Amino acid sequence: MKEIIQGRRLGSSERVEFEYDESETNIVRKSGSSCESNLTTHAVRIYPDVPIVVAPARKRVGGVVDGEKIVLFTDSLGRHQQTNLFHELWHHAEKRAISAGDLETVYKEVSDGDDWSCDYLNEPRERAARAFEHYASARASGLQLTPARKGTAQHIFERLYEGTEHAAMMKRRRREKWESVMSWVRPIAAMAAAMAGVFGIPHFLF
């Protein structure tokens, strides 16, 4: 059924009216397991160990991240939640996986973007999250991008999107854990060697 809608022309205060028939729009309203499967596939590849919680929409829609989990506020999972997920995955990785040097690279590059005349939207963290959200959405839509040059924001986005950033982080953590264990094993081993030298191996062992 057609109805007359009133609006405002973008960039001016001019009021306009237009005819609109909701039954003829191409908006996809249905959601289901395919949408959830899509989001799960991306989340597991990009950052497999962060819990993703889907919660009923409140006064706000979108998502939040607290360093431990990501919450998507929505009444139904659909296409728009994909961009929200990418946005929040960036924020999570920003806190836990991406090095300070890489963050500086991204923040510097996105600082030349549009000025939104809004402190929140102009924050480097928000600029970076929006940039990754758009990059990841383009990749998810099948856009074939030229492999990124090292030392660029796109290269950092590429590593995060493809899951190699998370894999590298896990490798660093295993190495740090091993080095931590060895930091107290080495002195004990050195002391044992010294004692063996002083008393002889048989005396030290028995």
Side-chain angles (χ1 to χ4, degrees):
M1 179 177 150
K2 293 184 178 181
E3 58 180 315
I4 301 299
I5 305 289
Q6 289 193 350
R8 180 180 59 82
R9 190 178 298 278
L10 183 66
S12 76
S13 57
E14 181 188 351
R15 307 302 295 181
V16 294
E17 288 188 348
F18 61 96
E19 203 173 56
Y20 176 71
D21 187 345
E22 187 169 346
S23 66
E24 294 178 1
T25 65
N26 58 1
I27 297 171
V28 177
R29 293 178 181 76
K30 292 183 178 179
S31 62
S33 60
S34 62
C35 294
E36 185 156 353
S37 175
N38 177 282
L39 301 185
T40 301
T41 297
H42 288 299
V44 168
R45 184 190 65 256
I46 294 172
Y47 214 108
D49 52 7
V50 58
I52 312 291
V53 178
V54 179
R58 303 175 68 83
K59 291 181 180 178
R60 58 164 293 163
V61 294
V64 294
V65 60
D66 62 7
E68 298 298 326
K69 64 184 176 299
I70 291 171
V71 180
L72 299 177
F73 292 105
T74 179
D75 290 325
S76 63
L77 287 176
R79 180 177 57 83
H80 295 294
Q81 277 64 55
Q82 188 190 71
T83 54
N84 292 336
L85 176 66
F86 290 146
H87 187 103
E88 300 307 333
L89 280 167
W90 168 265
H91 280 317
H92 185 80
E94 191 177 42
K95 294 178 180 179
R96 301 177 67 89
I98 301 172
S99 71
D102 282 347
L103 287 177
E104 185 179 350
T105 296
V106 174
Y107 293 163
K108 184 177 180 182
E109 198 167 319
V110 300
S111 67
D112 291 332
D114 290 347
D115 180 4
W116 288 94
S117 300
C118 169
D119 290 342
Y120 174 74
L121 292 177
N122 283 337
E123 279 182 5
R125 291 181 67 249
E126 283 305 309
R127 286 180 178 274
R130 291 195 304 273
F132 177 71
E133 161 193 327
H134 295 305
Y135 168 87
S137 295
R139 289 284 305 269
S141 295
L143 192 64
Q144 299 299 304
L145 301 177
T146 303
R149 205 167 30 86
K150 286 186 178 179
T152 62
Q154 184 181 335
H155 186 245
I156 295 159
F157 291 169
E158 183 178 86
R159 295 197 321 257
L160 182 60
Y161 181 82
E162 293 175 359
T164 55
E165 189 70 36
H166 181 268
M169 179 201 70
M170 296 306 291
K171 187 175 180 181
R172 283 194 307 270
R173 285 186 180 175
R174 284 192 295 271
R175 187 178 64 241
E176 288 165 3
K177 188 175 182 180
W178 173 251
E179 288 172 355
S180 175
V181 168
M182 292 306 294
S183 69
W184 61 266
V185 168
R186 285 191 193 100
I188 293 172
M191 185 176 67
M195 296 294 282
V198 172
F199 298 107
I201 291 175
H203 289 87
F204 181 68
L205 293 177
F206 301 102

